[in-house]
Amino acid sequence: MFFSRSGEAGERGETKAPNTMPADSEADYIVNEVLEFTGDEHSRGYYYKLVREMGPQRVYAILSETKQADREGDIKTTRAKYFTDLAQRYRGVKPLG
């Protein structure tokens, strides 16, 4: 047995499950996925705000919808504008339509 810096007891050789990520890492992952797809680096802060307000699963779902719209040729503006518009609709800032 050993104690971590936070004072928690643990066993040597103990590993975390592969699907568990600290909240900050999960937010970073989602935001980086959005940035990679949209190329909209100056909106990084807004994307973090979305993850905090809506949760990572919802933001990832919006990203998935945006990617689907892109594949189908439905995006008439930019990927970033489409993603932001969809996020605002889900947040209730704009009416769903």
Side-chain angles (χ1 to χ4, degrees):
M1 180 179 290
F2 70 96
F3 289 92
S4 67
R5 289 185 182 188
S6 63
E8 296 178 45
E11 297 292 329
R12 295 251 181 243
E14 184 180 79
T15 59
K16 291 188 177 206
N19 290 344
T20 59
M21 267 192 266
D24 289 342
S25 293
E26 188 173 24
D28 291 340
Y29 175 78
I30 299 295
V31 169
N32 286 329
E33 287 288 307
V34 173
L35 289 171
E36 184 178 318
F37 181 72
T38 63
D40 190 23
E41 184 66 39
H42 76 275
S43 294
R44 178 182 294 269
Y46 175 71
Y47 298 149
Y48 275 106
K49 177 182 174 182
L50 287 178
V51 172
R52 276 193 314 274
E53 290 181 0
M54 302 177 76
Q57 294 83 7
R58 178 64 65 134
V59 174
Y60 199 78
I62 293 169
L63 177 60
S64 294
E65 283 188 51
T66 304
K67 287 180 176 182
Q68 181 68 31
D70 187 53
R71 280 191 295 273
E72 294 174 356
D74 292 338
I75 297 179
K76 306 299 182 217
T77 58
T78 66
R79 292 171 169 182
K81 286 181 181 179
Y82 190 94
F83 176 86
T84 300
D85 182 73
L86 196 55
Q88 288 177 341
R89 291 176 192 279
Y90 275 101
R91 289 176 60 220
V93 176
K94 287 186 169 182
L96 290 172

